[in-house]
């Protein structure tokens, strides 16, 4: 998943900031490529982002995998990996940021 994300994003590191882009309003946009199926990696990336720019106002997790196989043709490992990324990845991301976002005034 990370290999494909790097290809689409045009490079970048895992678990770290790939840089920032400012819009006309002065707000910075920071990107990070993270294996969202790995709760520890998500937690580390969230901590890194908070050190870099504080609590984010907007967070986008755009990760998913679809192998295109029928249920009966997929291996147990493929199914576990798909569920880990597609279902739990969103929860890991929300948990890493939500408490701080809700505590902001």
């Amino acid at each position: 998943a990370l290999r494909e994300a790097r290809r689409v994003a045009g490079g970048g590191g895992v678990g770290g900031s790939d840089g920032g882009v400012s819009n006309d309003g002065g707000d910075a946009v920071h990107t990070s490529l993270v294996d969202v199926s790995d709760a520890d990696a998500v937690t580390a990336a969230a901590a890194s982002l908070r050190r870099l720019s504080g609590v984010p106002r907007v967070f986008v997790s755009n990760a998913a995998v679809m192998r295109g196989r029928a249920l009966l043709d997929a291996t147990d490992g493929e199914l576990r990996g798909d569920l880990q990324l597609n279902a739990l990845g969103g929860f890991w991301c929300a948990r890493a940021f939500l408490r701080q976002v809700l505590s902001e005034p």
Side-chain angles (χ1 to χ4, degrees):
L2 286 174
R3 184 174 32 246
E4 180 64 10
R6 280 190 203 95
R7 185 190 68 73
V8 171
V14 178
S17 174
D18 296 330
V21 178
S22 291
N23 65 19
D24 291 338
D27 293 330
V29 175
H30 298 279
T31 62
S32 184
L33 296 177
V34 181
D35 180 355
V36 298
S37 69
D38 181 347
D40 292 334
V42 171
T43 300
S48 176
L49 177 64
R50 282 192 295 275
R51 281 191 302 276
L52 179 68
S53 61
V55 177
R57 287 184 280 164
V58 176
F59 173 79
V60 177
S61 173
N62 189 26
V65 66
M66 193 67 188
R67 298 182 199 281
R69 291 186 184 216
L71 176 64
L72 296 177
D73 294 333
T75 68
D76 291 349
E78 289 172 334
L79 292 173
R80 279 190 196 93
D82 291 354
L83 287 173
Q84 183 78 12
L85 177 68
N86 295 334
L88 294 177
F91 289 120
W92 302 148
C93 291
R95 189 168 71 177
F97 290 101
L98 192 56
R99 184 168 283 117
Q100 291 81 19
V101 169
L102 293 175
S103 69
E104 285 290 302

